[in-house]
């Protein structure tokens, strides 16, 4: 989840070729410094065309390094740096600005009306969702591919939906086309969204509203921080316990300052957000899943509840149901797996995978790959042919022309630490 | 010590030249997690990619600053890439080389000019 499909800045010139895809940079050192994480110069990235979240000024004040991401200027890191920010989140707590993501409220004549309508867009059990509960979901297309991944929560008779920044316009259009006029689709543009993640997140949020303590993983509800009502879910995208909190725009900066003043809470950028979700085995839309990925290939069958599978009470009835049910029944040609490179060299996105050191035919490729600070070594995920997808399969990844050993491993790399 | 626009430093000791990356470059790159060094004895031309350095988020190539031969590499960096952040202009040199044409060094900046270059 959470990614812009490569908004590439490709640059070329004398000795400064390189590519920055919003996530990673490859190229000569001098170009890395200018275009890599680090100082995307205004003239090249047209920073002025980018949108800002309600926390933009605060990011600058905190020393955030701002980069273009899904049309927004977002902090890739703060002075602490990606590695320490990552470890901080695993050890204590980190605060992430995710206000660039789309928040949308769906309402209708009744919960049943809203839920039933939404089930026509996603292969999830929506009707069975209890009030104050949240689920992970997928918008699918007619071929059974994934148009976006999302979180949805029941708020009384309404459905609160959070979608990826890069897909939000398309998602809103999709929902309006399919659901209106019976269900009203309201994009929420006057609220910030922040995630507080890590083993210290529970205590931090409960210090502002003790009611937070009673919330369990994937609960959703209203909390009151010093008189300000916020919508909070006990969830996130790091594999840690934590909350995602929707805050009225006008109060967002003051509230975030209050959160950052709490013991053990530090601001964390997109860089660490990416390595945290990768260690947690979670997909980045546009990298690990896309419009060509069947959820069965994507190893996301856990997200499709029984009620919507063949033989279930409300089987099918969503875009691509035939293709997805066929994938369940007949299996798939390729599968998303965890990949642990043996040495120290990271295997980045696009690395080709082979079944033999000298084999000609690639059996797959890496879709996300980086260094996992918690593990102290490289971590990756990608797609491989079904017959090479078993845990423990020894493969080879081609890095700069050399075949290096990599093993298929169980996901996640770091065990989830949710409050169940 | 001499500095290049590619954020490398060169230090001359006898007929050998130590090459590393600057404090500024190390700070900007962030936590270095992987360093791949060339083979000792390799003959290189200016601008050949000789070292791969990866931080959490970026893969960068270090280019040979001048023509010559790689005489020694700092193998400690392979096991302890974090040294690049700890002491970039000291212990964390990447390689030593012998110049084929020492006059190629003339174009490089001194420290004051480099500081001005990075502004």
């Amino acid at each position: 989840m959470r990614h812009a499909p490569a908004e590439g800045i490709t640059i070329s010139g004398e000795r400064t070729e390189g590519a920055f895809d919003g996530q990673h940079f490859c190229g000569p050192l001098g170009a890395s410094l200018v275009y890599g994480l680090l100082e995307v110069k205004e003239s090249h990235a047209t920073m002025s065309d980018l949108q800002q979240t309600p926390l933009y000024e605060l990011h600058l004040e905190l020393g955030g390094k701002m980069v273009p991401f899904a049309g927004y200027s977002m902090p890739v890191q703060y002075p602490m740096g990606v590695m320490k920010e990552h470890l901080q989140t695993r050890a204590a707590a980190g605060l992430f600005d995710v206000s660039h993501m789309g928040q949308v409220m769906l309402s209708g004549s009744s919960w049943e009306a809203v839920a039933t309508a939404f089930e026509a867009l996603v292969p999830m059990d929506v009707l069975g969702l209890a009030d104050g509960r949240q689920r992970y979901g997928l918008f699918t297309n007619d071929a059974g591919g994934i148009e976006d991944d999302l979180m949805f929560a029941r708020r009384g008779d309404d459905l609160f939906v959070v979608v990826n920044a890069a897909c939000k316009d398309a998602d809103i259009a999709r929902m309006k086309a399919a659901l209106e006029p019976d269900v009203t689709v309201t994009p929420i543009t006057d609220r910030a969204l922040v995630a507080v993640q890590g083993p210290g997140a529970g205590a931090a949020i409960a210090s502002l509203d003790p009611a937070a303590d009673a919330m369990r993983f994937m609960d959703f509800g209203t909390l009151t921080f010093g008189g300000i009502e916020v919508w909070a879910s006990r969830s996130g995208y790091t594999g840690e316990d934590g909350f995602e909190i929707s805050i009225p725009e006008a109060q967002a900066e003051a509230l975030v300052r209050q959160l950052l003043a709490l013991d053990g809470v530090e601001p964390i950028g997109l860089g660490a957000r990416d390595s945290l979700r990768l260690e947690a085995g979670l997909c980045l839309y546009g990298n690990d899943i896309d419009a060509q990925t069947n959820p069965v290939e994507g190893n996301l069958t856990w997200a499709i509840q029984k009620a919507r599978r063949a033989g279930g009470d409300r089987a099918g009835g969503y875009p691509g149901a035939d293709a997805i049910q066929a994938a369940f029944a007949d299996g798939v040609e390729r599968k998303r797996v965890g990949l642990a490179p043996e040495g120290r060299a990271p295997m980045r996105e696009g690395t080709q995978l082979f079944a033999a050191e000298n084999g000609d035919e690639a059996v797959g490729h890496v879709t996300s790959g980086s260094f996992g600070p918690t593990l102290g070594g490289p971590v990756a995920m990608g797609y491989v042919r079904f017959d090479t997808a078993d845990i423990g399969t020894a493969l080879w990844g081609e890095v700069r022309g050399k075949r290096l050993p990599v093993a298929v491993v169980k996901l996640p790399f770091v065990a989830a630490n949710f409050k169940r | 010590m001499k500095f290049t626009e590619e954020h490398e430093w060169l230090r001359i000791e006898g007929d050998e030249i130590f090459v590393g990356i600057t404090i500024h470059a190390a700070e900007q790159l962030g936590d270095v997690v992987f360093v791949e060094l060339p083979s000792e004895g390799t003959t290189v031309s200016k601008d050949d990619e000789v070292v791969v350095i990866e931080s959490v988020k970026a893969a960068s190539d270090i280019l040979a600053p001048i023509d010559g031969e790689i005489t020694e590499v700092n193998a400690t960096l392979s096991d302890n890439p974090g040294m690049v952040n700890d002491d970039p202009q000291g212990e964390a040199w990447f390689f030593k080389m012998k110049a084929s044409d020492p006059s190629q060094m003339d174009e490089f900046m001194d420290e004051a000019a480099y500081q001005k270059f990075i502004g």
Side-chain angles (χ1 to χ4, degrees), chain B residues 4-111:
Chain B
T4 74
E5 291 189 358
E6 290 289 329
H7 306 279
E8 293 152 296
W9 56 260
L10 295 86
R11 194 177 74 229
I12 303 159
E13 276 186 23
D15 61 350
E16 282 188 319
I17 301 157
F18 288 65
V19 180
I21 65 166
T22 65
I23 292 168
H24 169 76
E27 278 173 359
Q28 293 293 311
L29 272 181
D31 307 292
V32 174
V33 297
F34 176 74
V35 174
E36 189 175 270
L37 297 162
S39 304
E40 292 173 356
T42 312
T43 302
V44 297
S45 303
K46 179 174 162 67
D47 294 344
D48 282 356
E49 293 161 5
V50 282
V51 173
V52 175
I53 175 171
E54 299 212 27
S55 69
V56 181
K57 301 300 288 177
S60 307
D61 303 312
I62 309 287
L63 310 179
I66 50 175
D67 302 339
E69 184 194 338
I70 306 285
T71 52
E72 192 179 340
V73 298
N74 189 358
T76 351
L77 293 184
S78 304
D79 298 324
N80 186 11
M83 260 172 73
V84 177
N85 299 106
D86 297 338
D87 192 10
Q89 287 182 201
E91 290 296 307
W93 54 275
F94 287 100
F95 54 87
K96 297 182 198 173
M97 64 187 295
K98 275 194 177 127
S100 342
D101 175 9
S103 75
Q104 284 181 322
M105 305 261 303
D106 295 347
E107 63 171 281
F108 297 143
M109 295 172 273
D110 62 13
E111 172 123 37

